[in-house]
Amino acid sequence: MNIYLDNAATTPLDPEVFEAMKPFMLEDFGNPSSTHSHGRKVKAAIESARKKVAELLQCTPGEIIFTSGGTEADNAILTGAVHAYGIRNIISSPIEHHAVLHTLEHMQKENQIDIHMVNLDDRGHVDMAHLESLLAKNDRALISLMHANNEIGNLLDIQGVSELAEKHQAYFHSDTVQAVGHYRHNLQKTKVHGMTAAAHKFHGPKGVGFKFVRREKKILPFVYGGSQERNMRGGTENVYGIIGLAKALEIAYRDMDEHTRYIQRLKSGMIQKLRATIPGVTFHGDSENPEKSLYTVLNVSLPESEENNMLLFNLDLQGISASGGSACSSGATAGSHVLAALYPGSKRGAIRFSFSKYNTPEEIDYAVKKLAELIPVKTF
Ligand SMILES: Cc1ncc(COP(=O)(O)O)c(C=O)c1O
């Protein structure tokens, strides 16, 4: 058995996406900035990819700027907004991705910015009353709160936060890297000002993503150079990446209802089976509430044991790829800042399983069986 249950780290490329990318790796190789026919053809393909993404998210093509992925997009929006609006106060949470937290730390040092962490409830959700009180005290702040948490799967009330941001004239950035391609965003309705995506989280290629920057809330460019991406990000475009991103998003939207149901069933099934086989198992975050938990992520909390340190390694030996938290810091059995913030002092084990349309119920059964075998039986 060789089972991949780490789809929050990255997803396999959809063959249909690869087929769409292929011509741009071979025959359609022109530089989109060239004005001759080779260049024009590729430029047109990029613009139609941008139009497609904008249609799906219900925004305008000019509001989509392609990047090298989620990290760059988060960096670009946070630094771009701080500089454009002279922001002095940022409201965020301790369970954001490092693409956000490390950028904020850097800006705190460089720009004399105060960072205010919003309270989280016992399931890891943002305390909206506390958020509102922080907004009331800090005029024209920047809010950075992620839509779907990559480690525990918690979902933010992104609509509610966007309304608070509007009321308090705050700039609202949301790291939507784990949510784009899994949920439909309607940017006419949800007035987030900046959001981000990475194609490899929804069966597209790695090394490409985008930032959405609302037209009325312009920010400064991130990469200076040529006039690509409407002067917002210099550098020759990752053409086949962009084509792949748009195709992957199109497929994700086309099949979303069916795949959401299918993957949620895999997750709920795993929750039930783990409960039935492993005494004392619980789940980090709010996994059992489908309304408030990303259906692709399940973070399992295991009773304290010396063996917990070796679980991921041993699962790997059994052919099961999972993760101990965020895999983005690679390699990583290093402690998770998300779990440390939510469960200080806890010595329970944590394994993140994350699912995609390519997983099967048989794989889930196998993973549960192997995990149960690896948990020491307690005799009292
Ligand atoms: C929530 C979140 N934000 C940002 C990123 C960074 O994306 P990328 O690795 O494409 O730069 C990730 C990657 O795991 C993520 O899960």
Side-chain angles (χ1 to χ4, degrees):
M1 277 275 197
N2 195 356
I3 299 179
Y4 185 73
L5 289 173
D6 200 12
N7 290 281
T10 197
T11 53
L13 190 72
D14 187 321
E16 222 186 307
V17 173
F18 182 55
E19 285 308 317
M21 293 167 69
K22 254 177 17 195
F24 295 91
M25 294 169 159
L26 298 168
E27 59 265 31
D28 295 326
F29 58 85
N31 185 325
S33 296
S34 302
T35 50
H36 50 58
S37 65
H38 284 81
R40 287 200 309 274
K41 186 168 181 202
V42 175
K43 174 85 175 161
I46 290 184
E47 290 316 312
S48 101
R50 195 188 312 281
K51 193 159 163 265
K52 170 59 66 191
V53 172
E55 265 167 29
L56 296 172
L57 297 178
Q58 305 193 41
C59 64
T60 59
E63 293 175 308
I64 299 294
I65 297 142
F66 293 114
T67 65
S68 65
T71 304
E72 182 195 318
D74 284 331
N75 270 259
I77 294 179
L78 292 169
T79 58
V82 162
H83 291 132
Y85 297 107
I87 284 164
R88 288 275 160 264
N89 289 288
I90 298 183
I91 301 168
S92 189
S93 92
I95 62 170
E96 300 301 304
H97 192 273
H98 280 150
V100 167
L101 288 180
H102 289 167
T103 309
L104 296 187
E105 278 166 26
H106 175 72
M107 287 197 298
Q108 191 175 26
K109 286 193 209 121
E110 299 279 303
N111 302 299
Q112 296 162 339
I113 284 171
D114 286 329
I115 299 191
H116 312 268
M117 289 299 179
V118 70
N119 292 344
L120 303 171
D121 67 18
D122 56 355
R123 293 190 183 274
H125 293 299
V126 166
D127 174 342
M128 297 291 271
H130 186 233
L131 175 61
E132 176 136 40
S133 78
L134 288 175
L135 284 166
K137 276 187 250 157
N138 297 287
D139 216 22
R140 293 173 188 275
L142 182 154
I143 306 170
S144 181
L145 291 172
M146 69 206 305
H147 187 185
N149 187 281
N150 53 302
E151 291 198 36
I152 54 168
N154 277 24
L155 291 175
L156 176 76
D157 173 7
I158 190 171
Q159 181 64 30
V161 175
S162 75
E163 286 162 17
L164 284 182
E166 198 160 32
K167 180 170 161 199
H168 292 275
Q169 298 182 321
Y171 186 98
F172 178 27
H173 160 256
S174 186
D175 175 336
T176 50
V177 168
Q178 292 288 345
V180 169
H182 299 297
Y183 295 94
R184 293 175 208 278
H185 292 90
N186 175 351
L187 295 173
Q188 299 282 330
K189 180 167 168 258
T190 308
K191 298 285 182 181
V192 59
H193 301 119
M195 65 178 249
T196 55
H200 69 111
K201 306 292 189 187
F202 49 91
H203 305 289
K206 294 171 183 57
V208 63
F210 66 81
K211 56 185 170 195
F212 157 79
V213 177
R214 192 170 290 282
R215 196 175 23 192
E216 304 83 42
K217 285 277 185 184
K218 284 251 170 349
I219 60 171
L220 299 184
F222 189 60
V223 179
Y224 290 90
S227 59
Q228 292 92 346
E229 298 299 304
R230 296 163 164 82
N231 285 314
M232 286 294 287
R233 197 236 184 216
T236 301
E237 297 87 338
N238 174 357
V239 176
Y240 39 81
I242 291 170
I243 302 301
L245 181 152
K247 187 69 186 171
L249 197 61
E250 187 183 353
I251 296 170
Y253 270 70
R254 184 191 70 197
D255 301 338
M256 195 175 288
D257 295 343
E258 185 194 332
H259 286 159
T260 305
R261 276 196 300 275
Y262 176 72
I263 299 169
Q264 180 66 57
R265 268 205 303 277
L266 292 180
K267 175 174 166 174
S268 305
M270 190 172 207
I271 291 176
Q272 274 173 13
K273 285 167 196 154
L274 285 168
R275 276 206 192 292
T277 17
I278 301 179
V281 72
T282 56
F283 303 97
H284 290 125
D286 203 9
S287 287
E288 284 166 281
N289 181 351
E291 301 293 307
K292 291 189 169 185
S293 181
L294 177 60
Y295 55 90
T296 52
V297 168
L298 178 62
N299 195 311
V300 180
S301 170
L302 296 161
E304 186 179 336
S305 154
E306 299 239 316
E307 275 82 357
N308 283 345
N309 286 338
M310 295 300 287
L311 275 179
L312 280 177
F313 178 74
N314 287 327
L315 280 175
D316 192 18
L317 288 181
Q318 302 290 334
I320 300 165
S321 296
S323 133
S326 171
C328 299
S329 330
S330 104
T333 44
S336 139
H337 69 281
V338 172
L339 298 180
L342 291 178
Y343 309 98
S346 168
K347 295 202 174 66
R348 290 177 66 89
I351 299 192
R352 179 187 70 179
F353 293 104
S354 46
F355 319 103
S356 85
K357 60 183 178 180
Y358 293 125
N359 289 123
T360 63
E362 292 71 32
E363 290 178 333
I364 302 296
D365 287 348
Y366 183 80
V368 172
K369 180 165 168 279
K370 288 296 161 191
L371 182 60
E373 285 170 12
L374 292 170
I375 306 284
V377 180
K378 282 231 160 50
T379 42
F380 294 98

